[in-house]
Amino acid sequence: MYRLKRNVWRGVQFFLLAAFFLLCFMRVEIWGQESGSPQETGSRLESVLTLTDVINLALYANRSLISSAYGVENRKFSLDAAQSEFEWKLIPGADARATDDLSSIDAGVTVEKKFAPGPVAAFSPKIARSDYDSDDNDDSIVYSGEFGISLTMPLLRGFGSEINLNSVRTAEYSLRRAHRSHYLVKVNIVLEAVSATYNIVEQRELVHLYQDQTKSFQGHVVMAKAREKIGLATPIDVYRAEIRLKDAQDLLSRVREALRSAGDRLKIVLASPLEQAMQVVAPLDYQPLDITVEEAVTTAMQNRVELKQVDDQIEEARRASRLAKNNLLPQLDLVANYTRSGSDDKFSRSMRLNEDFWSINLTSATDWSRTAEKAAYQQALLAVKTDELNRWTITDGIKREVRQNFASLLEAAERMQIRNEQIGQASGKLALAEIKFGYGMANNFDVIEAQTELQKAQVILLAAKIEHIVGRYRLRAAMGTLIES
């Protein structure tokens, strides 16, 4: 019994000791992995991105999109600057003068406010001290104080909120245009990201396809040489297999280079380092169209930002024509001033402000012929007509773009159907050629030719499928529904 317990205790000790060494070994291994340099660690990592990840990353990191966002922010600052014209302004001022018989200093502040209809009101308190030098060496000091109220109001040209808010309305229009331009940049970035992603997918599939073809032709070369030795094949059969092998190897080399170039293209879109390893996955599912071309055109007319922009541009041109028409009026302003002031050799008495002064003036300065203003008004009317014509051009262009993208999808779908049928025919031809070749009823020409035709059909089918998938995104962009505006 004692021996049994001792053996059990020794077994437990052995188990604990083995577990301890195992943990130490794992710790050393983990520590060795963690102690590697960041460059080595980063080189072993490889990003795997789905199509959704690619689009989100492009909308976040693309440099052109960031630059466009800076443009929107710049327009916001311009709007703030335009709106500041109608804020309350506090303008301090001071003046110091010295002559042979007078030295003075004054200080004051002006509170000014411009209102949207055109009036400008100002309130200006001021104090001053003047030192007079007389000939009998009797110097005198005079203190003065005043406050003034002024009102300037345009009566003809320049009167009205639409006229005086011109800079604000122009800045708001520029901001709306910047937002729409930013949206179009986002649409183009999404299309570029999708196109680059599926270009990688296509080239990767072609690499696999040409790798399989290269292995198959290598087998044909080996088989042809072996059959030639036993008299079942001719040197022409060997040359034929070797020539097709070289063609396949050349195509494989080109596709690998195209795959590398496609990867660099996507990295530039995503603003990622070109040295970073990256792998993308995207579905190759075929989805038939579920709308008609008339429905697609109607949707585009309702959603395209370009139409909203040209409508806004027409309204802006009409507003500019109304401003030009107002400029035909003569300049006539009402200027009213009221000042209450006081002065004394004692500062306290100078603040009694016992003197009043007021004035009302009508001022005008206008060219009688108004030739330049009349020409500007006619130019503004022509700009409205030009923008209205441009809207019809943009509308026809959008309809044409939608119809072209819709037709391209139908053509790609038809090509896929044809190539699927051709792949079935080429597969049957290849099976028959392999049977005949196996029984010695034909040489390797029929087999190689059938394999080449099958490979060409597969390449064209893949291209048509990629074109259809990317074309659906282009159609959505043409309809204005790719991303939310």
Side-chain angles (χ1 to χ4, degrees):
M1 186 67 179
Y2 173 78
R3 184 177 298 176
L4 178 62
K5 290 182 179 181
R6 186 174 60 182
N7 292 336
V8 171
W9 173 245
R10 287 180 177 177
V12 171
Q13 286 180 328
F14 176 79
F15 175 80
L16 293 175
L17 186 62
F20 173 78
F21 281 110
L22 179 61
L23 289 174
C24 291
F25 174 79
M26 292 177 62
R27 178 60 181 170
V28 170
E29 182 179 0
I30 294 174
W31 179 84
Q33 293 176 357
E34 293 178 347
S35 61
S37 63
Q39 293 81 1
E40 295 175 351
T41 304
S43 64
R44 290 194 298 266
L45 296 178
E46 183 174 354
S47 302
V48 179
L49 302 176
T50 64
L51 181 60
T52 303
D53 296 332
V54 170
I55 293 175
N56 292 334
L57 184 57
L59 292 177
Y60 172 77
N62 183 266
R63 298 185 183 95
S64 299
L65 194 59
I66 295 175
S67 177
S68 177
Y70 289 158
V72 174
E73 189 174 359
N74 185 31
R75 292 295 181 269
K76 291 180 181 178
F77 287 122
S78 298
L79 178 59
D80 293 339
Q83 291 174 339
S84 67
E85 182 181 0
F86 300 92
E87 295 177 351
W88 286 94
K89 292 182 174 60
L90 185 65
I91 307 171
D95 184 24
R97 291 173 291 175
T99 62
D100 293 339
D101 56 354
L102 173 66
S103 61
S104 65
I105 182 171
D106 60 71
V109 64
T110 300
V111 181
E112 186 179 277
K113 168 69 174 177
K114 182 176 182 179
F115 299 91
V120 179
F123 173 70
S124 304
K126 182 175 68 172
I127 59 174
R129 169 179 168 163
S130 302
D131 296 337
Y132 295 92
D133 295 336
S134 60
D135 294 337
D136 54 1
N137 296 326
D138 186 12
D139 297 342
S140 61
I141 299 176
V142 177
Y143 295 95
S144 62
E146 70 176 36
F147 74 86
I149 300 175
S150 66
L151 176 65
T152 303
M153 183 173 181
L155 300 179
L156 294 177
R157 187 175 66 181
F159 177 77
S161 299
E162 185 177 46
I163 308 302
N164 292 280
L165 291 176
N166 176 42
S167 59
V168 177
R169 298 292 179 256
T170 301
E172 290 174 346
Y173 169 73
S174 298
L175 179 59
R176 293 193 299 270
R177 183 175 60 185
H179 276 295
R180 296 185 183 113
S181 298
H182 182 64
Y183 170 80
L184 293 178
V185 173
K186 289 170 66 176
V187 171
N188 292 331
I189 292 301
V190 170
L191 289 178
E192 181 67 16
V194 171
S195 177
T197 299
Y198 275 101
N199 190 15
I200 292 176
V201 173
E202 180 180 10
Q203 300 305 323
R204 190 170 59 212
E205 293 294 325
L206 290 178
V207 167
H208 296 159
L209 182 62
Y210 289 131
Q211 282 178 342
D212 295 340
Q213 188 182 42
T214 300
K215 293 178 181 179
S216 177
F217 286 155
Q218 287 175 345
H220 279 293
V221 171
V222 174
M223 183 179 297
K225 290 181 177 180
R227 291 169 63 89
E228 182 187 16
K229 292 181 180 180
I230 60 177
L232 296 179
T234 63
I236 294 180
D237 296 328
V238 178
Y239 289 137
R240 182 186 299 116
E242 290 177 341
I243 291 173
R244 292 300 175 88
L245 174 61
K246 295 302 180 182
D247 290 339
Q249 290 174 341
D250 179 65
L251 290 174
L252 179 59
S253 177
R254 294 183 181 182
V255 170
R256 282 174 174 168
E257 177 61 25
L259 177 60
R260 185 198 61 78
S261 178
D264 290 345
R265 173 190 171 191
L266 180 61
K267 291 173 186 177
I268 292 175
V269 174
L270 302 182
S272 299
L274 297 181
E275 299 80 10
Q276 179 181 355
M278 183 182 299
Q279 182 180 358
V280 295
V281 292
L284 285 173
D285 301 331
Y286 166 73
Q287 295 180 355
L289 290 172
D290 54 357
I291 60 173
T292 63
V293 63
E294 290 78 12
E295 292 174 343
V297 171
T298 301
T299 302
M301 293 297 102
Q302 296 173 352
N303 295 283
R304 284 293 290 265
V305 171
E306 292 88 343
L307 290 177
K308 298 178 183 178
Q309 171 59 32
V310 73
D311 289 339
D312 198 4
Q313 183 175 342
I314 292 173
E315 183 56 36
E316 183 69 10
R318 290 172 179 169
R319 189 183 66 82
S321 69
R322 293 192 294 268
L323 294 178
K325 184 177 181 181
N326 181 266
N327 287 334
L328 297 177
L329 299 174
Q331 182 73 36
L332 181 63
D333 296 337
L334 172 66
V335 181
N337 293 286
Y338 172 76
T339 303
R340 189 171 181 88
S341 62
S343 60
D344 200 281
D345 57 353
K346 297 295 183 181
F347 180 77
S348 59
R349 289 198 296 266
S350 69
M351 292 296 102
R352 293 176 182 177
L353 306 180
N354 51 9
E355 297 178 4
D356 293 329
F357 175 80
W358 61 270
S359 66
I360 298 178
N361 302 313
L362 289 175
T363 62
S364 177
T366 302
D367 176 23
W368 182 259
S369 63
R370 315 296 293 161
T371 303
E373 288 76 5
K374 292 176 182 177
Y377 177 56
Q378 295 300 323
Q379 288 175 335
L381 294 178
L382 290 175
V384 174
K385 296 179 180 180
T386 301
D387 289 338
E388 289 175 346
L389 287 176
N390 188 39
R391 190 189 192 284
W392 288 107
T393 302
I394 293 176
T395 300
D396 292 340
I398 291 175
K399 291 180 179 179
R400 178 173 175 269
E401 182 182 357
V402 172
R403 292 180 181 277
Q404 283 184 338
N405 283 278
F406 197 91
S408 297
L409 287 177
L410 295 179
E411 181 183 358
E414 183 178 359
R415 287 169 56 197
M416 282 189 289
Q417 181 179 358
I418 293 174
R419 295 306 172 183
N420 279 320
E421 295 175 356
Q422 185 179 13
I423 287 175
Q425 296 170 352
S427 299
K429 179 179 179 181
L430 177 61
L432 180 60
E434 288 177 343
I435 292 175
K436 293 174 63 177
F437 180 74
Y439 284 96
M441 300 174 61
N443 55 22
N444 62 357
F445 174 79
D446 294 334
V447 178
I448 293 177
E449 182 184 24
Q451 286 182 341
T452 303
E453 291 177 356
L454 178 60
Q455 174 262 326
K456 289 182 179 179
Q458 291 172 340
V459 170
I460 297 176
L461 174 62
L462 177 62
K465 186 179 292 186
I466 297 294
E467 180 182 351
H468 190 276
I469 294 174
V470 177
R472 289 184 66 90
Y473 286 91
R474 293 197 179 100
L475 178 61
R476 289 174 56 189
M479 294 167 56
T481 60
L482 182 60
I483 57 178
E484 295 182 359
S485 59

